[in-house]
Amino acid sequence: MRKKSLWAGLLVGFWFCLTWMAWTPTAAAFSEEQKLLLQSWRLVNQSYYDDTFNHQNWWQVREQFIKKPLNDRTAAYNAIEQMLATLDEPFTRLLRPDQYHNLQISTTGELSGVGLQININPDNGYLEVVAPLAGSPAEAAGLTSHDRILFIDGIDTTTLTLDAAAAKMRGTPGTEVSLVILPDQKSQPKTLSLTRQRISLSPVVAVLDKNSSSLPIGYVRLNQFSANAAKEVSEAVTNLQKQGAKGYILDLRNNPGGLLQAGIEIARMWINQGTIVYTVNREGIADSFAASGNALTDSPLVVLVNQGTASASEILAGALQDNQRGVLVGEKTFGKGLIQSLFELPDGAGLAITVAKYETPAHHDIHKLGIMPDQVVAQEPITYQEIGTEKDSQYQTAIQFLNQKTVLAKAS
């Protein structure tokens, strides 16, 4: 049951909120650039999940930055970014107008680039891969979760913000971008040249597998939690039921997350009763979202996860595991348990602010820890075309579970 409000995260979900600052007569003396900085400061002051603001006096930070010469909008943006950097937390950040626009597109339609979901590792500050998008140039090049990206077109990524790095990899289809990748600390860096292409963000692939099992298996692959993901999953499960599916495999591998609400709605398609996720704000107040009693099926379910399963994917996987609705097979998940809200600024820019953390129904905080599957199956990276084949050992293990009927087949 939804108790109070809907938190939405940037990699977990999005809540678009147009917030206008109420100016006092004294504030009228500020320039437009100063007002933009003050509004950004106020949004963080009101919403940021850490009320110590990284153990600093947030008011003094305001006074320090408002005294900077803000002669134009670029100077204001730079000052806001420097101010947010004092929080030492990469998910709270400014999105300049083009970045904000691209972020909106990525949850609704398609984009042009190499197809990488990326993250700045909060422990070491390095840019790394969360997951490649299915069928993308990045996937074809063999990039996998936790690969470190050292350079983009010769630019040291330690000098770039997360959004600046993403912007450098996007571009016109047919153009090339050079990446220097460090797969692990035991390997040598390697240089890859990737050709950008238009990437469809259709989130769902569904097929009935009649050959691998003694019973018809409905395979549903969810690539990300975009605005239409819940609708497409619902349609996929309904169609598979009509085709005679008696068990399901829900593939969340390399799914980096997306909209929180989409994750909650999809969880409700599998679970009739029970909590789906808890969110905890800076006051320690827990909000919760629960099943609605409208599960589409109570057939046996196996969920595939790996190191690229992140954020909203972990919310869904954790809900299914803790409610004993499905068996998780694969590798430990990525471990992103912070939630961002996205606020739109008056000039078309946006501010992503970490407002809460989430916990699974059993109150597991998975941030930096991930979720351990019920059946660990390590697997070398496979291509998109090899998913569901004999080379996909995680998929084959899921089929074995369903054939043995060891999966708990209940929705409540």
Side-chain angles (χ1 to χ4, degrees):
M1 181 180 297
R2 179 177 174 178
K3 293 182 179 178
K4 294 181 180 178
S5 63
L6 174 63
W7 290 112
L10 181 60
L11 289 182
V12 178
F14 301 97
W15 172 38
F16 298 99
C17 177
L18 184 62
T19 307
W20 297 94
M21 202 168 183
W23 296 105
T24 64
T26 303
F30 290 122
S31 69
E32 292 302 314
E33 283 70 29
Q34 289 174 315
K35 290 179 181 179
L36 193 65
L37 184 140
L38 289 172
Q39 182 172 358
S40 300
W41 178 91
R42 176 177 291 187
L43 288 169
V44 173
N45 187 59
Q46 292 172 340
S47 305
Y48 192 57
Y49 84 118
D50 174 14
D51 60 4
T52 74
F53 302 97
N54 193 27
H55 305 286
Q56 61 182 338
N57 187 317
W58 192 236
W59 179 264
Q60 288 183 356
V61 173
R62 172 193 185 276
E63 294 303 292
Q64 172 189 347
F65 281 91
I66 199 63
K67 295 176 182 177
K68 288 181 175 289
L70 306 179
N71 300 322
D72 53 30
R73 193 52 49 90
T74 298
Y77 288 155
N78 290 339
I80 292 170
E81 289 171 343
Q82 293 167 15
M83 180 177 69
L84 297 179
T86 68
L87 297 171
D88 194 26
E89 189 266 292
F91 303 115
T92 296
R93 61 196 192 277
L94 174 72
L95 301 165
R96 301 192 186 206
D98 56 337
Q99 297 168 336
Y100 179 66
H101 175 69
N102 288 332
L103 185 61
Q104 291 174 298
I105 291 175
S106 71
T107 62
T108 56
E110 60 178 25
L111 52 81
S112 177
V114 300
L116 268 182
Q117 295 282 353
I118 56 176
N119 172 58
I120 293 179
N121 188 312
D123 291 331
N124 55 37
Y126 286 110
L127 185 71
E128 62 181 26
V129 174
V130 174
L133 297 181
S136 67
E139 185 190 54
L143 293 172
T144 61
S145 178
H146 295 295
D147 282 354
R148 189 176 294 177
I149 305 174
L150 303 180
F151 293 89
I152 303 174
D153 280 340
I155 297 176
D156 186 343
T157 57
T158 60
T159 67
L160 300 173
T161 65
L162 187 65
D163 297 291
K168 287 192 173 297
M169 288 187 283
R170 288 191 290 263
T172 305
T175 60
E176 291 189 349
V177 58
S178 173
L179 304 180
V180 177
I181 304 295
L182 182 66
D184 57 66
Q185 297 196 10
K186 296 180 181 179
S187 303
Q188 293 297 317
K190 59 181 180 180
T191 301
L192 301 175
S193 181
L194 304 183
T195 302
R196 299 180 179 96
Q197 67 181 39
R198 181 102 21 214
I199 300 169
S200 173
L201 298 178
S202 177
V204 176
V205 175
V207 64
L208 186 70
D209 186 344
K210 296 181 179 180
N211 301 318
S212 301
S213 172
S214 59
L215 68 161
I217 300 299
Y219 171 79
V220 180
R221 178 177 175 84
L222 182 58
N223 295 316
Q224 70 166 8
F225 291 81
S226 58
N228 56 339
K231 177 177 180 291
E232 290 197 21
V233 171
S234 177
E235 291 175 350
V237 173
T238 300
N239 290 335
L240 289 168
Q241 282 182 312
K242 292 178 180 178
Q243 296 175 53
K246 301 301 181 183
Y248 291 90
I249 296 174
L250 177 61
D251 194 345
L252 299 179
R253 292 175 297 179
N254 293 333
N255 183 325
L259 304 181
L260 172 62
Q261 185 61 22
I264 293 169
E265 291 174 3
I266 292 169
R268 287 171 174 161
M269 296 176 194
W270 303 97
I271 303 170
N272 260 330
Q273 298 178 5
T275 300
I276 292 170
V277 67
Y278 292 101
T279 62
V280 183
N281 64 15
R282 69 183 180 185
E283 285 83 25
I285 298 173
D287 211 354
S288 68
F289 301 87
S292 57
N294 296 310
L296 298 179
T297 177
D298 62 356
S299 296
L301 172 67
V302 174
V303 185
L304 299 181
V305 296
N306 66 3
Q307 294 179 5
T309 302
S311 200
S313 292
E314 292 172 291
I315 287 178
L316 177 55
L320 296 171
Q321 184 183 57
D322 285 1
N323 283 285
Q324 299 182 354
R325 175 60 183 94
V327 171
L328 268 60
V329 170
E331 299 161 292
K332 187 175 72 171
T333 63
F334 187 83
K336 181 180 182 294
L338 299 179
I339 299 174
Q340 289 76 42
S341 287
L342 189 65
F343 298 87
E344 184 174 336
L345 298 172
D347 68 338
L351 207 63
I353 302 175
T354 297
V355 296
K357 66 177 182 178
Y358 70 79
E359 297 177 353
T360 70
H363 289 287
H364 295 142
D365 181 355
I366 61 90
H367 191 60
K368 299 184 181 180
L369 300 174
I371 297 173
M372 186 63 68
D374 302 292
Q375 178 67 49
V376 175
V377 180
Q379 178 170 282
E380 293 297 319
I382 59 175
T383 67
Y384 184 69
Q385 291 73 22
E386 291 171 336
I387 293 174
T389 68
E390 292 296 327
K391 293 186 177 180
D392 189 347
S393 57
Q394 294 167 346
Y395 181 91
Q396 297 303 324
T397 301
I399 292 294
Q400 292 173 15
F401 267 100
L402 293 171
N403 282 339
Q404 295 166 2
K405 297 184 179 179
T406 58
V407 176
L408 190 60
K410 64 177 184 180
S412 62

